[in-house]
Amino acid sequence: MFVVSSEGSKALAARVAQIIGAELVDVEKKVFPDGEIYVRALSSFSDEVVVIGNTYPNDSLIELLLLKDLASESADVITVIPYYGYARQDRRFLDGECIAAKAMASILEINSKRIITVDLHKDYIKQYFKVTVENLIPFKEIADVCRDADIVISPDAGSFYLAEGVAEELGVDAAHFDKKRISATEVVSTFDEDVRGKKVLLVDDIISTGTTIEKACSALKDAERIEVACVHGLFLKSLNFSPVHASDTIPSRFSDYTVSKLIADSLLKLKNL
Ligand code: R5P
């Protein structure tokens, strides 16, 4: 097996390659004055290639498509998408909208024998692909960096799967905020349980601007302590809460746990089939 990755996923790819004992193929990448991207593999590959790359930012998606096309000329491709951007537009909320998660699937399945993702936001996005998708969720990895919690809470029902999974690893309770409609245009998230004296672990799949978590933290201000963990940390604004844990699907200064073993284990399972 060979591993090749887009620039933004290099560190994660190196970790995965090391665990599975695969050769990491170096890539030369250039961006032309008009923004077009050039990639060149600096050694050859054959048989089976694991191509790792995010769909965020948009340029990374192009890089991933170029690498997949290149790899598919001489090998079978397993595509690993640590952060599947565009997942939040997972269905049509308003007439006329493009279901971006579906559009991405139709592009990404090209030249892929199989796809591995990390926390897809909604598991049913898998159905948008014609190839098999394995969606890995780092419950244990999050629990391992946040061992000291009395309750795990998600800021909405949509990410309750994450709170439930992490809570199960920790052997504590899980709960979620409820969205309540105040008027035709206003929705507020509420949490009615008493958290006084409790150590809360607040989990979400994505932290983008941080607004969702910030609001949840304010509502939970009576807790003894609040710790925050996410899978994909975009961190587009400065944060008003800490401590924050994030995975290395999108490298940042908050990335303090890795999903490399999760991905490597899934690849090793395929190797042994
Ligand atoms: C929403 O469905 C996601 O699970 C996150 O809650 C959301 O993307 C977080 O965004 P932000 O950090 O901008 O509030």
Side-chain angles (χ1 to χ4, degrees):
M1 245 183 201
F2 295 81
V3 174
V4 66
S5 84
S6 59
E7 205 170 32
S9 298
K10 252 185 177 172
L12 176 59
R15 287 179 200 122
V16 171
Q18 197 192 13
I19 303 173
I20 65 173
E23 184 185 328
L24 185 64
V25 175
D26 275 336
V27 174
E28 179 190 349
K29 181 194 158 193
K30 286 193 282 201
V31 181
F32 292 109
D34 60 0
E36 286 185 7
I37 293 166
Y38 163 102
V39 292
R40 176 178 171 231
L42 298 179
S43 55
S44 59
F45 25 56
S46 57
D47 304 329
E48 202 152 49
V49 180
V50 179
V51 182
I52 306 184
N54 289 338
T55 59
Y56 165 89
N58 289 333
D59 273 5
S60 179
L61 168 66
I62 303 294
E63 208 181 329
L64 177 61
L65 297 178
L66 298 182
L67 288 172
K68 269 153 53 69
D69 187 81
L70 174 67
S72 72
E73 284 179 18
S74 48
D76 282 338
V77 173
I78 299 174
T79 305
V80 177
I81 309 166
Y83 173 56
Y84 186 80
Y86 289 95
R88 283 168 288 180
Q89 187 72 40
D90 54 83
R91 59 193 168 92
R92 186 166 288 125
F93 300 94
L94 297 173
D95 284 349
E97 282 180 346
C98 168
I99 305 171
K102 178 167 79 67
M104 286 298 139
S106 65
I107 298 168
L108 288 159
E109 68 193 11
I110 298 169
N111 294 323
S112 295
K113 190 176 91 172
R114 190 182 182 97
I115 295 194
I116 296 173
T117 56
V118 181
D119 202 341
L120 253 187
H121 182 64
K122 291 282 181 327
D123 200 63
Y124 65 71
I125 292 173
K126 288 198 287 199
Q127 294 163 19
Y128 294 144
F129 289 85
K130 288 188 203 83
V131 295
T132 305
V133 179
E134 192 180 1
N135 182 32
L136 309 169
I137 309 195
F139 299 125
K140 183 174 182 310
E141 286 72 7
I142 295 178
D144 282 348
V145 284
C146 313
R147 290 243 69 101
D148 190 23
D150 301 316
I151 184 166
V152 186
I153 303 175
S154 64
D156 54 36
S159 46
F160 185 54
Y161 65 92
L162 191 57
E164 260 190 318
V166 174
E168 197 179 319
E169 290 287 340
L170 292 171
V172 299
D173 288 337
H176 64 82
F177 276 66
D178 280 313
K179 281 192 177 145
K180 284 188 184 156
R181 185 157 290 284
I182 304 298
S183 67
T185 52
E186 206 188 341
V187 174
V188 291
S189 286
T190 57
F191 188 79
D192 296 330
E193 262 183 62
D194 189 1
V195 289
R196 261 175 298 190
K198 286 191 180 166
K199 290 178 219 144
V200 170
L201 172 58
L202 199 48
V203 291
D204 205 355
D205 59 334
I206 304 167
I207 295 182
S208 179
T209 61
T211 311
T212 306
I213 292 291
E214 214 170 283
K215 283 187 180 159
C217 286
S218 311
L220 298 170
K221 60 181 184 323
D222 292 337
E224 182 184 316
R225 197 193 65 200
I226 304 173
E227 205 170 350
V228 174
C230 68
V231 179
H232 312 295
L234 295 156
F235 305 121
L236 302 179
K237 285 190 181 162
S238 56
L239 306 179
N240 292 329
F241 46 85
S242 75
V244 182
H245 308 275
S247 83
D248 54 356
T249 57
I250 304 170
S252 77
R253 67 192 174 96
F254 297 106
S255 301
D256 61 354
Y257 73 94
T258 179
V259 292
S260 53
K261 184 156 185 316
L262 203 58
I263 295 171
D265 285 348
S266 154
L267 291 168
L268 287 173
K269 248 192 301 166
L270 293 176
K271 223 171 147 182
N272 296 329
L273 281 184

